[in-house]
Amino acid sequence: MEAYMKLLREQNPEIAKYLDLMQPMMENKEIEVDAIVETKKVDPELQNQINKLKKINRKLFTIVEGLKAQLELELNQNDDLAKAIGACLECFGENSECSECFGTGKPGVAIPDFILFNKYINPAIQKYNKHYFNKN
C-alpha cells in the first residue's frame, strides 16, 4: 500500500500535502493535542473547536481506510482482467517504461487464464456476437 501512496504523492503534489497531514492518523499515532490543552488553560470555545476537528479527523481517517480497501479490491480486479487477456499486470503493455514488461505486455503476449477468461471475456464475446450477427 505504501508504494501506491508514494505513487500518488509523485503524481499529484497537491494530494501529497493532504497525505502528509493524514500520515500520523494512518499510522495510528495520535497527535498529542490533549497534552497541549492540559498544560495551558484553553478557552471553552477553542476546546469545542478542537473537539469538532478531532471528530472530522476521525471521519477522514475512516474515509481513507475505506478508500484503501476499495483501491485494493480494484487492483485485484485489474490483475484478474490482465490475467484473463494474457497482458502485463502493471500496464497492459501500454507503458514503454514499465518495470515489469517494458511495454511488451500487450494482451495476448501470455497465455490467458482459462477460468478468468471465461468469467470476464467470454460473456462479452458472446454478447458481441449475438448483437452484431443478428443485425447483419
Side-chain angles (χ1 to χ4, degrees):
M1 193 54 64
E2 290 300 318
Y4 295 111
M5 297 300 233
K6 183 180 177 185
L7 178 66
L8 285 173
R9 281 188 172 96
E10 290 172 0
Q11 289 180 345
N12 191 335
E14 189 66 30
I15 288 179
K17 294 176 190 175
Y18 294 109
L19 291 175
D20 291 339
L21 289 172
M22 291 188 291
Q23 189 67 33
M25 291 187 318
M26 292 190 302
E27 295 174 354
N28 293 329
K29 293 180 183 174
E30 296 262 339
I31 300 173
E32 298 297 328
V33 175
D34 293 333
I36 296 169
V37 171
E38 290 176 7
T39 58
K40 299 178 182 179
K41 292 190 177 188
V42 179
D43 182 4
E45 188 175 311
L46 184 59
Q47 183 63 43
N48 286 338
Q49 190 174 11
I50 289 170
N51 290 337
K52 285 180 185 177
L53 290 173
K54 281 183 176 181
K55 188 175 181 181
I56 291 169
N57 282 343
R58 276 186 237 113
K59 285 181 182 179
L60 287 173
F61 179 72
T62 303
I63 290 169
V64 167
E65 289 299 312
L67 288 171
K68 285 167 62 175
Q70 183 179 355
L71 175 63
E72 189 69 31
L73 174 71
E74 290 175 3
L75 287 171
N76 289 335
Q77 286 178 325
N78 192 60
D79 287 352
D80 284 351
L81 184 58
K83 290 174 188 174
I85 61 174
C88 173
L89 300 177
E90 295 298 318
C91 75
F92 285 76
E94 294 183 0
N95 181 4
S96 61
E97 297 177 13
C98 175
S99 62
E100 296 295 319
C101 73
F102 303 104
T104 63
K106 296 189 180 346
V109 75
I111 297 172
D113 182 292
F114 179 76
I115 294 170
L116 294 173
F117 182 88
N118 284 333
K119 179 179 178 181
Y120 292 111
I121 308 303
N122 215 14
I125 291 171
Q126 290 173 355
K127 184 78 163 190
Y128 177 86
N129 288 339
K130 184 178 179 182
H131 178 76
Y132 285 103
F133 287 128
N134 285 339
K135 279 190 167 183
N136 295 330

